[in-house]
Amino acid sequence: PPAKMAAPMRVLTRRSCPQICGRILGCVYVRTANYAKAKGFALKGGKDMTTEKPKGPDIVTDPALLTTQCCGANIYKDGSDPPIKPDEEYPDWLFELNLGPAAKLEDLEPGTRKYFKRLRKENIWAENARRKGKKFGVKLLPDESPRKY
């Protein structure tokens, strides 16, 4: 019969079993590797990259420039902002867009696609508020009871 091999020895570190290492080694320092420790990144010039904040776009306050150009629409370094054209050159649907608040569920016609999309969205909001522990919707008077759906 072949000889039995000894069980492989386990390396003891302060991290894997600190009580045993402390008892066996006493005050001897056991080296540990801190792999997850984040270290700062510094450049050769001594500047730290993490302290520099990105600079935002310049804010235009000149009324003449704001009425003739679409400020902030340029995405190129060497380009310029596009000029604003007369209203006749833009499509009609552009001026029919709703730029105000979204329509309420009571204002929409029941059974339409927009109605069901809004209903789903409000149900998601109510469920999220319920899970978070907040009350959602209209505040009820003391003598009123909540609506049943």
Side-chain angles (χ1 to χ4, degrees):
K4 287 187 177 181
M5 297 186 72
M9 291 193 63
R10 213 172 121 192
V11 177
L12 298 178
T13 63
R14 181 170 283 184
R15 185 175 283 174
S16 64
C17 44
Q19 293 86 7
I20 296 172
C21 286
R23 284 189 212 138
I24 295 172
L25 302 174
C27 295
V28 176
Y29 175 73
V30 178
R31 188 173 184 173
T32 60
N34 294 324
Y35 294 112
K37 192 173 188 180
K39 295 184 179 179
F41 178 79
L43 294 175
K44 291 181 183 176
K47 268 192 169 178
D48 190 7
M49 284 292 287
T50 58
T51 59
E52 293 182 13
K53 302 275 184 186
K55 185 182 165 191
D58 296 330
I59 298 173
V60 180
T61 56
D62 182 23
L65 196 61
L66 288 170
T67 55
T68 58
Q69 290 184 350
C70 186
C71 299
N74 179 34
I75 59 170
Y76 302 108
K77 282 185 177 181
D78 299 331
S80 63
D81 291 326
I84 296 177
K85 300 175 183 177
D87 290 349
E88 294 81 30
E89 294 190 34
Y90 292 107
D92 293 333
W93 59 264
L94 185 65
F95 301 104
E96 296 171 5
L97 291 175
N98 180 20
L99 301 177
K104 294 183 180 179
L105 189 64
E106 295 82 23
D107 299 337
L108 296 174
E109 175 129 8
T112 60
R113 184 178 177 88
K114 284 185 179 182
Y115 176 83
F116 286 114
K117 284 182 82 170
R118 184 67 184 188
L119 179 66
R120 182 175 184 271
K121 190 179 282 192
E122 287 190 8
N123 284 335
I124 290 171
W125 291 343
E127 180 64 18
N128 290 344
R130 186 191 63 80
R131 286 185 182 186
K132 197 171 182 180
K134 292 183 176 180
K135 293 184 178 178
F136 177 78
V138 181
K139 292 184 179 179
L140 300 174
L141 296 174
D143 58 338
E144 288 183 294
S145 61
R147 289 191 293 181
K148 302 277 184 182
Y149 292 103

